[in-house]
Amino acid sequence: MNDLVIMKDQQAVTSSLQVAETFNKNHRDVLRAIDDLEKDVRNFAQMFLVTDLPDTYGRGRRAYYMNRDGFTLLAMGFTGRKAVKFKMQYIEAFNQMENELKQGYSTKNVGGYQVPSNYRGALLLAADLQEQVEIMKPKAIFADSVSTSHTTILIGDLAKILKGNGINIGARRLFQWMRDNGYLIKRKGADYNSPTQKSMNLGLFQIKESSHVNGDGVTVVTKTPKVTGKGQNYFVNKFLSENERLEA
């Protein structure tokens, strides 16, 4: 598992082939999921890079490299206990490789370990730390992933993330919960389901505005709330903490 993340063009990345192998998925299905993201994600090219990678016979085949943000977006749809375990392994591998970059490949002692000065050493260190990663709480790992993410997501996508972390809630119920708890405006009107001032002050949402001309020739402006990386961290931790309290 020590080759989950590699260094390419001074950036920590993984490949669609590696993701398919790790999550035991057909590579064609992973490619299809990435292609679907390209239709909806405006900054797709900042997270994914199409390439040709050799198969077991040395023949080139279409694949993708993806950075941390791209992997986080793709892995939203991977659910189940094993999937959470693999997500944890990936995120730790990204953390180790990115820390290596930030430290300029120094040999500074970090957390009781000597940080190596080459890629191979960094990958071996990530493998050595894997045993510690296994006992870390999924919410802490998830928080570290999305807090550095520049990707905003729809509330419906946040519901999928919550389901992947064991919280049984759908998009409709999540909207209702946010209205009931003061994160979205609940009064009927033009601002219905818009973030409250409290939510905006906390940095939990961004507003995406779009416009179109209706059949009467009138320009209609729509506002869509999107959850920031900080907001994803906030809500997942809030739900997981409440779930742990109820189970205690």
Side-chain angles (χ1 to χ4, degrees), residues 161-185:
I161 294 176
L162 290 169
K163 277 199 171 184
N165 283 272
I167 306 299
N168 186 22
I169 192 168
R172 183 175 298 180
R173 286 176 56 201
L174 183 55
F175 268 102
Q176 185 63 53
W177 181 91
M178 288 185 173
R179 289 192 295 267
D180 292 342
N181 288 273
Y183 297 103
L184 296 178
I185 295 173

Side-chain angles (χ1 to χ4, degrees), residues 2-242:
N2 62 352
D3 56 352
L4 295 180
V5 175
I6 62 173
M7 195 69 65
K8 182 176 176 60
D9 298 329
Q10 296 298 300
Q11 187 177 20
V13 300
T14 190
S15 71
S16 55
L17 285 171
Q18 184 62 59
V19 169
E21 178 182 344
T22 302
F23 286 87
N24 194 27
K25 292 181 177 294
N26 189 301
H27 186 236
R28 285 175 297 181
D29 293 334
V30 174
L31 287 179
R32 187 178 299 112
I34 296 174
D35 290 339
D36 288 341
L37 289 174
E38 186 175 12
K39 302 171 186 176
D40 301 321
V41 179
R42 185 172 56 182
N43 57 339
F44 178 88
Q46 298 175 19
M47 296 181 285
F48 295 92
L49 174 66
V50 67
T51 187
D52 283 321
L53 293 177
D55 60 16
T56 54
Y57 299 100
R59 298 172 301 192
R61 57 178 166 179
R62 186 171 72 96
Y64 282 96
Y65 285 117
M66 68 197 81
N67 61 14
R68 175 195 287 269
D69 286 351
F71 171 77
T72 301
L73 197 60
L74 175 64
M76 286 178 188
F78 299 165
T79 60
R81 184 169 298 178
K82 286 186 177 180
V84 172
K85 174 184 175 181
F86 293 144
K87 290 177 192 179
M88 291 168 63
Q89 293 174 343
Y90 258 107
I91 292 165
E92 178 63 15
F94 270 113
N95 288 343
Q96 291 297 323
M97 193 66 77
E98 290 173 355
N99 285 339
E100 177 90 356
L101 275 175
K102 291 176 182 178
Q103 293 163 8
Y105 307 105
S106 69
T107 56
K108 179 181 178 182
N109 187 283
V110 178
Y113 292 90
Q114 197 72 16
V115 178
S117 57
N118 55 63
Y119 299 156
R120 176 64 177 170
L123 292 171
L124 290 174
L125 175 58
D128 291 339
L129 293 176
Q130 189 57 53
E131 185 175 352
Q132 297 182 36
V133 176
E134 296 293 342
I135 63 174
M136 295 178 69
K137 291 184 178 180
K139 70 174 185 178
I141 294 292
F142 179 85
D144 187 57
S145 170
V146 299
S147 63
T148 59
S149 174
H150 302 295
T151 304
T152 58
I153 64 172
L154 296 171
I155 293 175
D157 291 327
L158 176 61
K160 294 178 183 178
I161 294 176
L162 290 169
K163 277 199 171 184
N165 283 272
I167 306 299
N168 186 22
I169 192 168
R172 183 175 298 180
R173 286 176 56 201
L174 183 55
F175 268 102
Q176 185 63 53
W177 181 91
M178 288 185 173
R179 289 192 295 267
D180 292 342
N181 288 273
Y183 297 103
L184 296 178
I185 295 173
K186 65 189 304 182
R187 69 175 182 274
K188 298 292 185 178
D191 292 332
Y192 181 65
N193 273 345
S194 293
T196 61
Q197 191 60 50
K198 177 182 78 171
S199 294
M200 297 303 290
N201 290 341
L202 290 172
L204 306 180
F205 293 95
Q206 290 181 1
I207 301 295
K208 178 183 178 182
E209 290 192 5
S210 58
S211 62
H212 67 277
V213 179
N214 65 16
D216 297 325
V218 178
T219 300
V220 179
V221 177
T222 58
K223 298 181 179 181
T224 304
K226 303 195 74 175
V227 188
T228 63
K230 181 179 180 180
Q232 295 167 53
N233 179 4
Y234 177 92
F235 288 117
V236 170
N237 282 341
K238 192 170 188 65
F239 274 91
L240 288 176
S241 296
E242 178 63 18

